């Protein structure tokens, strides 16, 4: 959604843009007015994909695409095995300016959450010993053993790299090598970029602590399509005695749904309701079934289908509060901007991008992420104090728009192109 909105806004500014994305096969088509070029990917082992080891098939397909399109700027919105440092090299060899936007912690964090041992925010510094121990712990290894595994020399783990699969504990011995090589590839990727976009402040800090010069970083926060952000508040459903809380997003443990539903279960207020507009993706069916089971035993919990993007803001306006209980460091998230566009206060985790967007006790409340009692207390307080909720609502200001994002990005592109012209003169 972010890339589509950005491309559309840039086109309105006279910047001709198209999207290149990995696919099962190479293909070309148009998606809502944007030209899309799919480039085929090869077959890789899961552990290599997880650590961003370059897909040479994808690189070869991408090179053919770049030679045909001859772009002035190649803007990378991901870093994966298919979108690797090889693609960055191809862009540079084609004399295109290169830009990288850091959208998710997985761009540099092997655990993928930027939560140290899953318990506290990490500073993001890539350190082989610490990252190995944290990754092993994420795979279910006790923390003491994870720390031991982190001391395994790369030379000892190297023979495992040639095995097609590593069942059981043996696979953990390969993690130090994967971490070491993967972190080197990340640094190579960002070093080659002419400029890097941080979508929030904590990302900027992660980039700098890993050696990216502040001069090469621009903080450009996410924004909403202008048609979702209007000067007048959306039409709000008439107030009722029921205090309506809603969650919009993926059905995923990392999103904190278990904390949120546990808090509701402990809340004695029968007039509180929680509606989950969930997006179900493969691999999360068990949690989805659990939520449905909870809704059958507690009528205050409702599980409804996801809402189309263009209808999210007006649907949010029907609720008194939007809950964003993420357990990981978010770089946006867009759901906070959408809630503010709907003029609805946010009850969010005091983490990452959420904490950068929500002003505590001004337009929302920030709560300790996994503290069920704290979430219960907050819900109980808000449901019992409608005048306080209205004060939060009155303090909401319209969120940033994609027009502002595109203006910032256009300035970055122009500076890169101008430097290239100056070098060629």
């Amino acid at each position: 959604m972010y890339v589509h909105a950005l491309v559309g806004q840039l086109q309105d500014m006279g910047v001709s843009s198209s999207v290149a994305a990995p696919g099962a096969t190479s293909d070309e088509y148009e998606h809502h007015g944007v030209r899309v070029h799919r480039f085929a990917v090869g077959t890789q082992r899961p552990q290599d994909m997880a650590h961003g080891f370059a897909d040479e098939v994808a690189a070869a397909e991408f090179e053919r695409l770049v030679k045909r399109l001859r772009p002035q700027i190649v803007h990378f919105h991901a870093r994966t095995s298919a979108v690797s440092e090889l693609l960055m090299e191809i862009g540079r060899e084609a004399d295109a300016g290169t830009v990288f936007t850091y959208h998710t912690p997985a761009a540099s964090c092997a655990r993928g959450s930027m939560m140290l041992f899953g318990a506290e925010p990490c500073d993001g510094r890539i350190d082989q010993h610490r990252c190995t121990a944290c990754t092993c712990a994420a795979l279910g290894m006790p923390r003491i053993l994870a720390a031991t595994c982190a001391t395994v020399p790369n030379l000892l783990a190297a023979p495992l790299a040639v095995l097609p699969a590593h069942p059981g504990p043996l696979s953990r011995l390969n993690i130090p090598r994967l971490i070491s090589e993967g972190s080197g590839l990340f640094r190579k990727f960002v070093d080659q970029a002419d400029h890097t976009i941080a979508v929030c402040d904590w990302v900027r800090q992660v980039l700098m602590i890993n050696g990216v010069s502040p001069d090469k970083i621009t903080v450009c926060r996410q924004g909403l399509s202008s048609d979702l952000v209007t000067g007048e508040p959306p039409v709000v459903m008439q107030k009722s005695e029921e205090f309506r809380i809603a969650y919009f997003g993926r059905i995923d443990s990392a999103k904190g749904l278990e904390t949120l539903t546990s808090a509701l279960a402990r809340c004695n207020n029968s007039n509180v309701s929680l509606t989950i507009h969930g997006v179900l993706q493969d691999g999360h069916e068990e949690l989805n079934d659990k939520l449905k089971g909870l809704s059958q035993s507690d009528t205050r919990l409702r599980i409804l289908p996801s809402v189309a993007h263009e209808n999210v803001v007006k649907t949010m306006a029907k609720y008194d509060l939007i809950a964003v209980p993420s357990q990981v460091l978010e770089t946006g998230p867009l759901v906070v901007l959408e809630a503010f566009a709907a003029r609805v206060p946010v009850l969010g985790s005091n983490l990452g991008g959420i904490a950068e967007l929500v002003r505590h006790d001004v337009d929302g409340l920030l709560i300790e992420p996994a503290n069920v009692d704290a979430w219960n207390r907050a819900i109980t307080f808000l449901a019992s104090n409608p005048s306080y909720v209205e004060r939060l609502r009155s303090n909401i200001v319209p969120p940033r728009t994609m027009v502002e994002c595109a203006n910032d990005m256009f300035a970055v592109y122009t500076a890169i192109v101008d430097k290239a012209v100056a070098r060629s003169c």
Side-chain angles (χ1 to χ4, degrees), residues 79-329:
R79 178 188 167 259
T80 65
S81 58
V83 186
S84 68
E85 75 283 354
L86 293 184
L87 274 64
M88 188 73 76
E89 291 173 5
I90 290 165
R92 293 181 66 86
E93 289 171 0
D95 293 326
T98 52
V99 180
F100 168 55
T101 293
Y102 187 119
H103 280 291
T104 66
S108 62
C109 172
R111 190 182 184 110
S113 65
M114 205 61 74
M115 294 292 287
L116 188 60
F117 292 100
E120 60 182 300
C122 182
D123 62 10
R125 178 176 55 84
I126 298 173
D127 174 87
Q128 181 176 338
H129 186 276
R130 183 177 68 164
C131 293
T132 297
C134 185
T135 302
C136 287
L139 295 173
M141 184 179 289
R143 189 162 173 173
I144 294 178
L145 290 179
T148 302
C149 181
T151 65
V152 174
N154 288 340
L155 285 176
L156 179 61
L160 297 174
V162 300
L163 299 178
H166 320 317
L170 188 61
S171 65
R172 309 300 188 259
L173 295 177
N174 200 28
I175 290 179
R177 180 191 69 86
L178 294 172
I179 294 291
S180 177
E181 295 183 13
S183 63
L185 294 174
F186 170 74
R187 289 192 172 97
K188 184 177 181 181
F189 187 87
V190 293
D191 285 347
Q192 290 186 104
D194 289 313
H195 208 77
T196 304
I197 305 298
V199 293
C200 56
D201 288 333
W202 76 256
V203 169
R204 181 175 184 271
Q205 296 300 320
V206 167
L207 291 168
M208 289 194 301
I209 204 171
N210 285 297
V212 180
S213 170
D215 295 338
K216 286 182 59 176
I217 303 172
T218 292
V219 176
C220 179
R221 295 186 182 276
Q222 297 178 352
L224 295 183
S225 298
S226 299
D227 57 348
L228 297 179
V229 183
T230 61
E232 295 297 323
V235 177
V236 180
M237 180 186 289
Q238 275 201 330
K239 293 297 176 185
S240 69
E241 291 187 3
E242 183 178 76
F243 185 73
R244 302 168 298 242
I245 305 171
Y247 166 88
F248 290 75
R250 289 187 292 113
I251 303 294
D252 188 328
S253 293
K255 294 295 186 178
L257 285 168
E258 288 152 308
T259 295
L260 184 59
T261 53
S262 295
L264 176 69
R266 295 185 190 182
C267 179
N268 295 322
N269 191 331
S270 61
N271 291 328
V272 174
S273 69
L274 169 61
T275 301
I276 295 176
H277 291 279
V279 178
L280 179 60
Q281 297 177 330
D282 291 343
H284 300 282
E285 292 81 5
E286 184 177 345
L287 176 57
N288 190 58
D289 291 342
K290 179 182 178 181
L291 294 173
K292 287 182 177 179
L294 291 174
S295 69
Q296 292 174 358
S297 59
D298 188 345
T299 57
R300 298 176 301 169
L301 176 61
R302 301 155 189 167
I303 312 299
L304 296 181
S306 59
V307 179
H309 176 60
E310 61 272 16
N311 296 325
V312 167
V313 170
K314 63 182 179 183
T315 303
M316 284 182 169
K318 300 176 182 179
Y319 297 97
D320 299 294
L321 190 72
I322 301 301
V324 189
S326 296
Q327 307 292 295
V328 300
L329 265 68

